[in-house]
Amino acid sequence: MADNARAKRLADLIREVVAQKLQRGIKDPRLGSHVTITDTRVTGDLREATVFYTVYGDDEERKAAAAGLESAKGVLRSEVGRAAGVKFTPTLTFVMDALPDTARTIEDLLDKARQSDAKVREASAGATYAGGADPYRKPEDDETDDTAE
């Protein structure tokens, strides 16, 4: 079992090598400049690497990019092996990163919350307190109540 620092270094190297190879070395039109490598994770035994990527475009371009990455997997793995110099080159698995979709969902929810806050702010603009500005009893109020009895 390799230490976590070594796995992290290998993951960083894999991310850089795959990104550079996709940018310069692969001539597949499905893997145009709209594919971005976002993260890479390597198992503790350094046998398997998961490469997370995003594709800017519609669903058709995402499917084409996934097919292109699967077809280029062997070339990318051999390039990683050449750059890493390890005894066993990790197998590469490409996974679509859900981060942009999650960020878009969070932004939509934040926009809804801002709109709701604005509606509440508008509704409370001319409102007054039902029981006075300070509805809590104070010690001086208790003293005046005792003398009234």
Side-chain angles (χ1 to χ4, degrees):
M1 197 69 137
D3 61 83
N4 286 338
R6 184 172 179 202
K8 174 80 171 116
R9 284 193 312 268
L10 183 60
D12 291 342
L13 177 72
I14 291 171
R15 186 183 69 235
E16 290 174 16
V17 168
V18 169
Q20 286 176 359
K21 191 69 174 172
L22 285 176
Q23 186 178 17
R24 295 190 203 123
I26 304 290
K27 302 292 187 214
D28 194 339
R30 299 174 290 186
L31 300 175
S33 62
H34 55 275
V35 176
T36 303
I37 304 300
T38 56
D39 192 20
T40 307
R41 295 185 185 147
V42 178
T43 58
D45 60 357
L46 306 178
R47 295 281 179 163
E48 298 174 13
T50 305
V51 180
F52 295 92
Y53 68 96
T54 59
V55 178
Y56 297 105
D58 58 359
D59 288 336
E60 189 175 307
E61 289 176 347
R62 290 177 184 160
K63 289 178 184 177
L69 286 171
E70 283 299 316
S71 69
K73 188 184 285 190
V75 173
L76 294 171
R77 184 173 180 220
S78 64
E79 191 67 28
V80 166
R82 201 172 295 122
V86 292
K87 185 176 184 179
F88 181 82
T89 303
T91 58
L92 301 177
T93 306
F94 293 96
V95 176
M96 179 70 106
D97 197 354
L99 185 66
D101 295 332
T102 304
R104 190 174 311 115
T105 303
I106 290 173
E107 284 297 322
D108 291 342
L109 291 173
L110 287 173
D111 286 339
K112 287 180 184 177
R114 285 185 199 105
Q115 291 172 358
S116 175
D117 288 348
K119 287 179 184 177
V120 168
R121 200 174 305 116
E122 288 174 11
S124 66
T128 58
Y129 294 105
D134 190 10
Y136 298 104
R137 296 178 74 182
K138 295 187 174 53
E140 59 266 5
D141 292 340
D142 291 336
E143 292 172 7
T144 57
D145 288 341
D146 292 338
T147 57
E149 291 178 9

